[in-house]
């Protein structure tokens, strides 16, 4: 029986749409994913680069928050249904004063923050990423899943941020700078780390499927 289950588990590695069944383990896994998303919100990956230019070495410092790759990880690990629940739990927690889990705090008034559109975009990112991953396990599918998820987050984030800025009568220079800082300067990093996050999630998902049956 054990050998048969192991063989079935190994065989399932090639099935892109194997679903994790609902059980106490699923609830625990969802809770862990919520915590991972909160931790990612307040985690900064610092990267330093030395760029030689005209004989002079320029020092470039960049700080990256891995929240978007964490969203893609959740989508790849839990799929559409449970992944969506995790994102909704995170957003509902953040919109209360009891759980300030967003980067700039929390509360219902947070919907008027410039960056709330990116958080709202997580909902659609989970759905698009998980849907694309159902089509296959190839590198192309993983890359497309990462791209779709990241693209929808930034599109919704930019539109939402622009609307808030216009309502506050901010200048177009301010809006352009916000778009560059919040999106354009981070797209490449989001794609690279998002791709890696999905790969890690797929490995974890297969192992969990074998453990949880």
């Amino acid at each position: 029986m054990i050998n048969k289950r192991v063989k079935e588990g190994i065989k399932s590695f090639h099935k892109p749409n194997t679903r994790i069944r609902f059980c106490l383990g699923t609830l625990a896994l969802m809770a862990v994913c919520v915590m991972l998303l909160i931790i990612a919100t307040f985690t900064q990956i610092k990267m330093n680069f030395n760029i030689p230019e005209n004989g002079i070495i320029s020092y470039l410092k960049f700080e990256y928050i891995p929240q978007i790759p964490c969203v893609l990880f959740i989508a790849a690990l839990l799929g559409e249904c449970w992944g969506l629940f995790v994102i909704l739990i995170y957003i509902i927690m953040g919109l209360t004063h009891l759980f300030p889990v967003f980067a700039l705090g929390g509360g219902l008034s947070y919907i008027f923050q410039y960056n709330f559109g990116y958080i709202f975009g997580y909902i659609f990112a989970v759905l698009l990423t998980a849907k694309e991953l159902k089509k296959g396990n190839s590198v192309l599918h993983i890359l497309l899943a990462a791209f779709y998820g990241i693209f929808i987050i930034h599109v919704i984030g930019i539109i939402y941020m622009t609307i808030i800025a216009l309502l506050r009568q901010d200048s177009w220079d301010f809006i352009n700078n916000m778009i560059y800082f919040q999106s354009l300067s981070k797209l490449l990093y989001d794609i690279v780390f998002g791709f890696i996050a999905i790969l890690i999630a797929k490995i974890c998902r297969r192992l969990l499927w074998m453990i949880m049956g």
Side-chain angles (χ1 to χ4, degrees):
M1 289 293 294
I2 296 178
N3 290 335
K4 183 179 179 181
R5 183 174 179 180
V6 170
K7 289 179 180 179
E8 290 177 351
I10 295 174
K11 186 178 180 180
S12 72
F13 280 19
H14 303 286
K15 297 179 181 179
N17 57 347
T18 303
R19 298 182 62 182
I20 296 177
R21 296 183 301 175
F22 178 76
C23 60
L24 290 177
T26 306
L27 288 176
L29 191 58
M30 290 170 62
V32 170
C33 286
V34 172
M35 289 303 301
L36 283 176
L37 190 53
I38 295 173
I39 292 172
T41 303
F42 299 99
T43 299
Q44 286 187 338
I45 299 175
K46 296 182 178 181
M47 292 172 280
N48 302 319
F49 304 96
N50 292 323
I51 303 176
E53 184 177 356
N54 297 328
I56 300 175
I57 296 179
S58 300
Y59 182 73
L60 178 63
K61 183 178 180 180
F62 184 80
E63 294 182 351
Y64 179 74
I65 299 175
Q67 195 173 22
I68 290 179
C70 186
V71 172
L72 301 188
F73 174 87
I74 292 170
L77 180 66
L78 297 179
E80 294 176 68
C81 181
W82 309 126
L84 181 59
F85 268 110
V86 168
I87 299 301
L88 291 177
I89 290 171
Y90 172 76
I91 293 176
I92 292 172
M93 288 175 62
L95 292 178
T96 67
H97 291 284
L98 299 176
F99 304 99
V101 297
F102 297 151
L104 300 177
L108 192 60
S109 61
Y110 203 91
I111 61 175
F112 299 108
Q113 291 287 345
Y114 291 106
N115 65 338
F116 182 74
Y118 293 91
I119 298 173
F120 183 68
Y122 295 167
I123 296 173
F124 302 94
V126 166
L127 297 177
L128 287 179
T129 300
K131 186 174 182 179
E132 179 61 32
L133 291 174
K134 282 184 176 181
K135 298 178 181 179
N137 287 321
S138 67
V139 174
L140 178 60
H141 285 299
I142 295 174
L143 186 59
L144 287 175
F147 176 79
Y148 291 153
I150 292 166
F151 179 78
I152 195 64
I153 289 174
H154 283 283
V155 168
I156 293 176
I158 290 173
I159 293 174
Y160 195 97
M161 183 170 57
T162 302
I163 292 173
I164 295 297
L166 290 175
L167 290 175
R168 295 184 178 184
Q169 298 183 339
D170 294 320
S171 67
W172 280 106
D173 286 338
F174 175 82
I175 295 173
N176 290 332
N177 289 333
M178 287 289 288
I179 292 174
Y180 175 79
F181 178 76
Q182 294 289 346
S183 289
L184 299 182
S185 65
K186 299 177 181 179
L187 273 175
L188 180 60
Y189 297 97
D190 284 339
I191 292 174
V192 171
F193 287 111
F195 181 83
I196 296 173
I198 292 176
L199 286 178
I200 296 173
K202 290 183 75 65
I203 295 173
C204 294
R205 181 184 174 92
R206 292 165 180 175
L207 293 175
L208 285 171
W209 188 89
M210 293 180 66
I211 295 171
M212 299 171 66

